[in-house]
Amino acid sequence: MRNMASVPQPAVARDQQHAHSLADTIRNTIRRLSFDLTSGGQHPHSCNRTPHHHHDFHDLGSDGVYEDALDDDDKPESRGISHSATVPVTRATDKAADRTPSKNGLYLSHAATTSQLFAAPPLTPLTLAGYGERTKSRLLSPQLAEEIRHLVPLRLQLYDTWSLCYSLEQHGVSLTTLYSLSVPPRTTSRPGYVLIVEDKLGGIFGAYLSENPRPTKNGRYYGNGECFLWKSRIISKTPNASTTSLTYAGGDSDTASTKSVNIQFRAFPYTGINDYMILCEPGFLSVGGGDGKYGLYLDDRFEKGISNSCPAFGNEPLSECGIKFDIVGIEVWRISSA
């Protein structure tokens, strides 16, 4: 008979042996982590134990997100439309094998710690330059500017000063003036523009434009897929609101003031269905189109406006007044290096 020791083991047997070895390794790892959890990271017979620091737990929200226990230094920078300074955590009684301990005794998921490790550095706070000392109608709040900032192209997010090109209150009722003041300086490379409109009900909405608004010949659309429509709604103006404090800088003043508000923000990016981004003529300014509808339309007298659902952005009407609305205020801001 052949010596069984010299016969190669079948592949199935080798796989089973490897699986048993892997299972033993996992069990040993869990047992070692259990020691860390129960003894503060020390061997149970060690006399040089370090006291385990516990953090006072607050109640978890209904969505399972822990909101209050993390220090500010532990909270990841958020990006995008929806801003939140919260990360998912579990109580200390959960399985430690799937959690990474933080310095304050909480256990963060590996996904959360990875996002913290590779998160982009925080952006420099914005300065909104151009408002006059006597300007009462200031449509662009610092918090709204921050929401829009996170959606503009990355090359423009780094600029920490936005310049007011046109204000209905400061420069008068004139679409021609809006066009002329929005022309970028020759030294500026690929600036972006934020159009802001206020309706009769106090609603604030508008568009991000990849190019300056200007009349074109033969009804030609221009702009690219960076454009988007947006709308906002103020929720509260409490002094203790959890918002980001940015800076208002008046064009004729050395002083600056800060305001805190809570806002609800919604954006409507380019759908790719058509290329009807920006269409401007001497008699009107419009953003978004298709199927005979405008995403946002302003007449040359700045009295009446239209906002309808359009294929270019798949938006809902931006004004709470309905498809047609009365214009109260208009501003155009430039995002650039100069």
Side-chain angles (χ1 to χ4, degrees):
M1 295 179 63
R2 297 175 59 185
N3 186 3
M4 296 302 296
S6 63
V7 178
Q9 295 182 356
V12 175
R14 290 198 304 270
D15 291 342
Q16 291 178 348
Q17 182 179 1
H18 178 72
H20 288 305
S21 176
L22 180 60
D24 292 338
T25 302
I26 293 175
R27 281 194 294 269
N28 292 334
T29 301
I30 295 176
R31 188 177 301 110
R32 184 169 60 255
L33 290 175
S34 298
F35 279 137
D36 293 340
L37 182 62
T38 58
S39 61
Q42 301 293 330
H43 191 276
H45 299 292
S46 174
C47 60
N48 296 324
R49 296 183 183 180
T50 302
H52 187 70
H53 297 283
H54 295 278
H55 196 284
D56 293 333
F57 283 94
H58 300 268
D59 291 336
L60 289 173
S62 60
D63 56 353
V65 175
Y66 188 80
E67 299 182 355
D68 298 322
L70 291 182
D71 296 333
D72 290 338
D73 294 339
D74 293 329
K75 295 177 181 179
E77 293 293 332
S78 56
R79 295 290 184 269
I81 295 175
S82 177
H83 296 279
S84 175
T86 60
V87 291
V89 302
T90 60
R91 298 188 185 277
T93 56
D94 289 348
K95 294 181 180 179
D98 297 329
R99 299 290 184 265
T100 300
S102 66
K103 67 179 182 181
N104 57 12
L106 299 177
Y107 286 83
L108 308 180
S109 66
H110 288 300
T113 55
T114 301
S115 64
Q116 289 178 342
L117 182 62
F118 296 101
L123 297 172
T124 306
L126 278 176
T127 297
L128 305 179
Y131 282 131
E133 288 183 348
R134 299 181 179 180
T135 302
K136 297 180 180 179
S137 176
R138 302 187 176 194
L139 306 185
L140 183 59
S141 69
Q143 287 73 29
L144 178 56
E146 183 71 8
E147 295 285 356
I148 298 172
R149 184 187 195 184
H150 288 300
L151 297 179
V152 303
L154 293 176
R155 70 178 189 279
L156 299 178
Q157 293 185 19
L158 301 178
Y159 299 138
D160 56 10
T161 300
W162 290 12
S163 302
L164 179 64
C165 298
Y166 172 83
S167 166
L168 181 60
E169 179 179 339
Q170 293 184 201
H171 302 103
V173 181
S174 174
L175 181 57
T176 302
T177 301
L178 184 152
Y179 288 152
S180 61
L181 293 179
S182 300
V183 176
R186 294 182 178 179
T187 57
T188 301
S189 175
R190 299 179 63 192
Y193 290 83
V194 178
L195 171 66
I196 306 176
V197 180
E198 181 182 13
D199 62 21
K200 193 174 183 179
L201 294 180
I204 303 295
F205 49 90
Y208 169 77
L209 311 178
S210 60
E211 300 181 36
N212 62 297
R214 62 186 186 275
T216 57
K217 297 180 179 179
N218 301 324
R220 182 177 60 86
Y221 281 86
Y222 62 97
N224 59 31
E226 296 173 348
C227 298
F228 60 85
L229 296 174
W230 57 267
K231 62 185 300 185
S232 67
R233 183 171 64 91
I234 295 177
I235 300 176
S236 66
K237 295 184 179 180
T238 57
N240 295 326
S242 176
T243 55
T244 304
S245 295
L246 305 180
T247 302
Y248 272 128
D252 302 325
S253 173
D254 294 332
T255 62
S257 61
T258 60
K259 300 179 180 180
S260 293
V261 295
N262 269 340
I263 64 172
Q264 186 179 64
F265 181 87
R266 188 174 183 183
F268 304 94
Y270 172 54
T271 63
I273 293 179
N274 59 40
D275 296 328
Y276 300 156
M277 306 298 179
I278 309 170
L279 176 61
C280 297
E281 294 186 2
F284 68 89
L285 181 157
S286 70
V287 184
D291 295 340
K293 300 178 180 179
Y294 293 105
L296 181 60
Y297 173 98
L298 308 176
D299 67 6
D300 60 341
R301 296 183 179 181
F302 293 157
E303 294 179 352
K304 302 293 182 179
I306 297 174
S307 178
N308 211 329
S309 177
C310 71
F313 298 107
N315 60 290
E316 62 188 34
L318 304 180
S319 175
E320 297 298 330
C321 299
I323 296 177
K324 297 182 179 180
F325 58 88
D326 294 326
I327 299 173
V328 175
I330 297 176
E331 291 178 0
V332 176
W333 291 80
R334 179 168 55 242
I335 309 174
S336 66
S337 59

